[in-house]
Amino acid sequence: MADVLAEIDDLVPEANAELSAVQNPAQLESFRIKWLGAKGTLKSKMDLIKQVPPDQKRLFGQRLNAAKDQITAAFDSRKQSVETAGASVRLDLDITEPGRRPQIGNRHILMKVIDELTELFARMGFSQASGPEVEDEFHNFIALNIPRQHPARDPLDNFYLAPATGEGEVSAYNSVPEDQQRLLRTQTSTVQIRVMETQKPPIRVVIPGRVYRPDTVDQTHFYMFHQLEALVVDKNVSMVDLKSTVMQFVHAYFGPDTKVRFRPSFFPFTEPSAEVDVFFEDRQKWVELGGCGMVHPNVLKVLDKQGLNSEEYSGWAFGFGIERIAMRKYGIEDIRQLFENDVRFLRQF
Ligand code: DAH
């Protein structure tokens, strides 16, 4: 009898030890089946009662019931702690919440406008070209028929790069021989020359790119901006081609009712030359898009380098301000907004 009672007394510590290892609902359920289930340990211990003498059966029954009560109580409290632990995990991770949408960036409005313009001109048969932003005087001036005395070459109107002459020394502008000065290009017309150095006519290209000028910043001026240059070179190219292409572009991009006008002008690299204005409805005034004209024979001479006879060719070109185009198209009031990088502004487009 003592053995049987000792067996019952061992049950509680054994069950407690197992219960303390229980961490999750699955382990809890295994524990319940093993100890408290219909075929569990406690039920099977009931069979021991057959071995117990009749006068002791009552004591045995009481001990077994006490053990069962203790194990059930321990199980209940463990069950609670496992469930609240599970519940707190669930609180942190509410899968019914809609979730936070990540902020997705967008392309800068000027980049979008450049894509729109090059696509539009691609449909009119123009391919795309590009050239360096740090240029030499040959491409920025000389080849474009802008001689050394020309006011456009004034150091005050250009970002010349001071070449290093030695340790920490930079030379003065005038001490560097002509052609060897380098500068941030002031116009994308430089790429006209680069294209004519490498491609043979018929040439039909557009050149979007950045240009730099030491301008005072205001509503319509910035020291860096973008131009869209176009160059067409072939035999028998006329001013009519130029004008109709520009009109077609303006009407396709801004709408068929857009008012556009050509004013006679002067550029060293074109003859004759004109300026193109577009009417800004929102401001009720004409705004200049840029210049254009028939490519000057001196500029076409660069074709001779390829063994061609430049006198057999004619061409036209234009150079328009991309910021102006973007401002007219998207109703932007101030050029500075394009470069301040306020995402609240830029996200609108
Ligand atoms: N390069 C000129 C400027 O920046 C604009 C220009 C005028 C470009 C006439 C041309 C042109 O191609 O034919 O002011």
Side-chain angles (χ1 to χ4, degrees):
M1 173 60 199
D3 288 353
V4 178
L5 286 183
E7 231 177 278
I8 300 300
D9 289 343
D10 286 345
L11 289 176
V12 176
E14 202 186 317
N16 279 341
E18 272 185 40
L19 202 53
S20 65
V22 164
Q23 303 290 350
N24 58 45
Q27 292 171 345
L28 195 69
E29 181 60 5
S30 311
F31 177 91
R32 190 192 64 75
I33 292 166
K34 178 178 172 190
W35 288 90
L36 306 167
K39 293 176 184 163
T41 309
L42 286 167
K43 269 273 154 48
S44 67
K45 294 294 176 198
M46 287 297 284
D47 293 346
L48 291 175
I49 202 157
K50 291 174 205 150
Q51 301 169 26
V52 175
D55 62 330
Q56 305 265 322
K57 283 192 196 298
R58 190 182 154 90
L59 178 63
F60 174 84
Q62 281 173 349
R63 289 278 187 94
L64 188 58
N65 273 335
K68 188 182 168 192
D69 288 348
Q70 282 185 51
I71 293 170
T72 306
F75 170 79
D76 285 344
S77 90
R78 190 78 198 153
K79 186 176 170 187
Q80 258 186 9
S81 66
V82 167
E83 275 174 0
T84 44
S88 75
V89 168
R90 258 177 267 128
L91 267 183
D92 288 348
L93 205 146
D94 181 352
I95 57 162
T96 65
E97 283 267 316
R100 240 179 257 155
R101 211 178 272 276
Q103 277 285 357
I104 296 176
N106 61 309
R107 304 198 74 205
H108 193 282
I109 179 61
L110 282 176
M111 298 301 116
K112 281 190 209 165
V113 168
I114 287 173
D115 285 351
E116 290 168 0
L117 295 174
T118 51
E119 257 169 51
L120 201 161
F121 277 97
R123 278 185 263 137
M124 297 202 267
F126 287 76
S127 56
Q128 201 175 325
S130 65
E133 290 177 26
V134 174
E135 262 299 3
D136 49 47
E137 293 195 294
F138 176 76
H139 291 90
N140 203 87
F141 299 123
I142 297 164
L144 287 165
N145 202 30
I146 306 173
R148 177 144 245 207
Q149 323 74 280
H150 196 282
R153 295 175 66 163
D154 191 314
L156 292 176
D157 292 331
N158 295 281
F159 287 116
Y160 282 99
L161 305 186
T165 53
E167 292 201 5
E169 289 276 312
V170 289
S171 73
Y173 168 77
N174 285 319
S175 69
V176 176
E178 189 177 26
D179 291 11
Q180 289 176 31
Q181 279 287 352
R182 298 210 297 161
L183 74 163
L184 298 180
R185 70 179 175 198
T186 54
Q187 48 188 356
T188 44
S189 305
T190 54
V191 190
Q192 289 189 27
I193 304 304
R194 292 193 174 272
V195 167
M196 285 190 282
E197 282 171 333
T198 52
Q199 295 182 27
K200 289 192 163 79
I203 292 169
R204 215 171 155 79
V205 291
V206 280
I207 304 138
R210 286 184 170 185
V211 299
Y212 302 83
R213 289 177 198 177
D215 281 345
T216 304
V217 173
D218 64 20
Q219 198 180 357
T220 50
H221 294 88
F222 210 76
Y223 43 80
M224 181 280 299
F225 57 99
H226 297 72
Q227 286 184 329
L228 183 76
E229 191 87 12
L231 175 69
V232 169
V233 180
D234 204 347
K235 291 187 172 155
N236 306 315
V237 174
S238 77
M239 188 92 184
V240 177
D241 300 327
L242 163 61
K243 198 169 173 187
S244 63
T245 306
V246 170
M247 303 280 283
Q248 237 180 317
F249 153 64
V250 168
H251 291 147
Y253 195 65
F254 297 115
D257 302 325
T258 311
K259 286 186 236 156
V260 51
R261 74 180 181 194
F262 290 74
R263 276 182 295 114
S265 184
F266 174 82
F267 298 101
F269 34 89
T270 43
E271 180 59 38
S273 308
E275 251 155 340
V276 180
D277 297 338
V278 169
F279 196 70
F280 275 46
E281 298 292 342
D282 50 353
R283 288 188 218 162
Q284 285 296 302
K285 69 174 194 190
W286 292 98
V287 174
E288 183 193 319
L289 279 194
C292 64
M294 300 307 292
V295 181
H296 195 287
N298 286 351
V299 175
L300 288 173
K301 277 206 176 99
V302 69
L303 289 171
D304 296 342
K305 281 201 204 171
Q306 294 198 73
L308 300 165
N309 178 6
S310 61
E311 288 179 12
E312 292 172 9
Y313 294 96
S314 51
W316 61 254
F318 69 66
F320 294 159
I322 292 180
E323 281 76 4
R324 298 268 171 95
I325 293 173
M327 289 164 81
R328 169 66 170 77
K329 173 90 172 178
Y330 293 100
I332 297 164
E333 296 279 314
D334 193 319
I335 193 171
R336 289 167 288 200
Q337 289 182 299
L338 294 169
F339 305 116
E340 275 164 2
N341 289 336
D342 183 337
V343 288
R344 292 167 303 180
F345 171 79
L346 294 174
R347 211 180 269 148
Q348 301 174 83
F349 303 103

